[in-house]
Amino acid sequence: MRTVYVVDAVRTPFGRYGGALSGVRPDDLAAHAVRALAERTGQESADEVVLGNANGAGEENRNVARMAALLAGLPVTTPGVTVNRLCGSGMEAVIQAYRMIALGDASAVIAGGVESMTRAPWVLPKPERAFPAGPQELVSTTLGWRLVNPAMPAEHTVPLGEGAELIADQQGIGRAEQDAFALASHRKAAAASFEREIVPIAGLDRDEGIRDDTSPEALARLKPAFRAGGTVTAGNSSPLSDGAAALLLTDEDGLRGREPLARITATAASALEPRLFGLGPVEATRRALAKAGKDAGDLATAELNEAFAAQALGCLALMPDLDPAIVNPSGGAIALGHPLGASGARVTGAVAHRLAAAGSGTGLATLCIGVGQGLAVVLER
């Protein structure tokens, strides 16, 4: 097995739904990140481009990785493949690139992900019979369940926000604790520098979701968004977002004298009850750390994607050996945004940059996935 290095990682700023990036197609978002990465690293070509995307139903043109490679100006001989593990798609792309290189099938791979939740289309299902006389229903592809199989058990198809409420119930996580977590995410993000990560686009050079002026009082005024009398609000949930991220992974030969940010030492996937999807990182983290011969006490830094404050706090409650002080030190998705296909690549790149800045250490990137899965990547420097 070859050692796999993260040479560099970039991302666009993440835009709000209907915000500054609403006019940018998802294939152009992805191409911008790929092009910026190639230029910054001097990587004129790659053995493969692997991108995650949770939608694929619109301007992604189904295989957005190939589209982005062409739009970015990479050689037409550069293959591209798009992978979908819903909100884990960007991390799944990194993991698949890692495997390609570790097995010797590739030497240099660009991996990442993209999502424009703003531009996600409505779809019109084909009718069961030709020439229907009545009205037909359009279905939004922005987020969540659509065109559900009637054979699917109802307990598996609860909305994501209700899933967060169930975790809050299970773990006894109250509204005040969730709001405090959300406030900390915004404050950490507002104080952080993302200069090494972000490549501006469409006049945006900062994550649009960061609210410098939010307060406990402002968060407390928000009504529950998913359940009457519940605790999960728009303020303690990640927003719908647009954005892209890309990493360059290589083997030793592919480094070509460049100093890598970190190396990937283990990955893992897990699954659990779909309605408790938010707890997916717990088992994925345990498996990845075990593969790396590490435990939570060995970690210098960690990224735990914040789909919901209740979900992130639930994971931390079930991982008592993981020091909360090292988790998301620059804020998380509640503040930065959560463009589904890109988030897994963002958190992986953030850990790699942080390890490079520290000069040594072990880091973890992990996230939950709708329909009950988790992914984790362990990196070392």
Side-chain angles (χ1 to χ4, degrees):
M1 297 285 285
R2 297 180 180 179
T3 301
V4 181
Y5 299 93
V6 178
V7 177
D8 205 352
V10 303
R11 65 178 181 92
T12 69
F14 288 173
R16 290 179 183 171
Y17 185 88
L21 301 185
S22 61
V24 185
R25 291 171 54 112
D27 48 2
D28 285 329
L29 281 173
H32 183 75
V34 169
R35 185 183 306 113
L37 179 71
E39 291 175 351
R40 199 158 93 174
T41 59
Q43 189 75 31
E44 297 177 354
S45 63
D47 297 316
E48 186 80 81
V49 174
V50 187
L51 294 184
N53 179 246
N55 199 315
E59 294 166 333
E60 295 90 350
N61 228 319
R62 294 184 284 188
N63 187 3
V64 72
R66 175 63 171 165
M67 307 306 161
L70 294 171
L71 290 167
L74 296 184
V76 295
T77 53
T78 307
V81 60
T82 302
V83 298
N84 187 346
R85 203 192 279 261
L86 299 181
C87 356
S89 297
M91 188 175 289
E92 178 66 23
V94 172
I95 290 171
Q96 292 200 20
Y98 160 77
R99 290 175 182 151
M100 290 177 186
I101 296 169
L103 292 172
D105 286 341
S107 178
V109 179
I110 292 173
V114 62
E115 207 74 49
S116 175
M117 300 180 80
T118 297
R119 298 177 73 90
W122 290 280
V123 298
L124 180 64
K126 288 185 176 179
E128 294 296 323
R129 59 182 180 82
F131 313 117
Q136 302 299 299
E137 182 181 1
L138 288 170
V139 179
S140 173
T141 66
T142 301
L143 179 69
W145 289 92
R146 66 197 71 147
L147 305 177
V148 178
N149 190 316
M152 186 67 71
E155 63 268 23
H156 290 347
T157 63
V158 299
L160 297 172
E162 175 59 18
E165 290 279 13
L166 291 172
I167 292 170
D169 292 344
Q170 182 192 80
Q171 300 296 323
I173 302 167
R175 169 70 181 270
E177 189 177 357
Q178 293 175 53
D179 284 354
F181 185 90
L183 180 64
S185 184
H186 283 284
R187 288 181 172 172
K188 289 186 288 186
S193 172
F194 300 99
E195 183 179 1
R196 286 299 301 164
E197 297 179 29
I198 286 181
V199 288
I201 183 173
L204 187 66
D205 61 3
R206 183 176 187 263
D207 297 302
E208 202 174 10
I210 302 172
R211 297 185 180 273
D212 305 66
D213 59 349
T214 195
S215 66
E217 294 76 20
L219 289 168
R221 285 194 293 268
L222 297 174
K223 296 180 179 180
F226 304 101
R227 180 199 289 181
T231 60
V232 180
T233 71
N236 57 43
S237 307
S238 62
L240 305 178
S241 308
D242 309 327
L247 297 81
L248 175 60
L249 276 60
T250 75
D251 59 13
E252 189 78 35
D253 292 339
L255 284 176
R256 302 201 315 249
R258 295 172 295 201
E259 179 70 20
L261 301 178
R263 64 187 185 276
I264 295 176
T265 55
T267 71
S270 67
L272 73 169
E273 290 182 66
R275 63 196 179 116
L276 298 178
F277 73 96
L279 302 179
V282 177
E283 179 63 16
T285 293
R286 186 194 68 77
R287 294 180 185 181
L289 288 173
K291 288 180 182 179
K294 304 286 184 179
D295 57 40
D298 296 316
L299 295 173
T301 187
E303 285 282 331
L304 169 63
N305 195 53
E306 301 168 357
F308 299 89
Q311 162 267 320
L313 287 165
C315 289
L316 291 172
L318 295 173
M319 295 189 285
D321 294 337
L322 177 58
D323 182 1
I326 69 167
V327 177
N328 302 350
S330 298
I334 289 173
L336 304 178
H338 183 14
L340 304 181
S343 291
R346 178 194 72 80
V347 296
T348 308
V351 170
H353 276 294
R354 208 168 293 132
L355 291 175
S360 64
T362 301
L364 167 75
T366 186
L367 79 173
C368 67
I369 301 167
V371 202
Q373 297 188 81
L375 284 179
V377 174
V378 177
L379 302 96
E380 297 185 45
R381 168 84 182 195

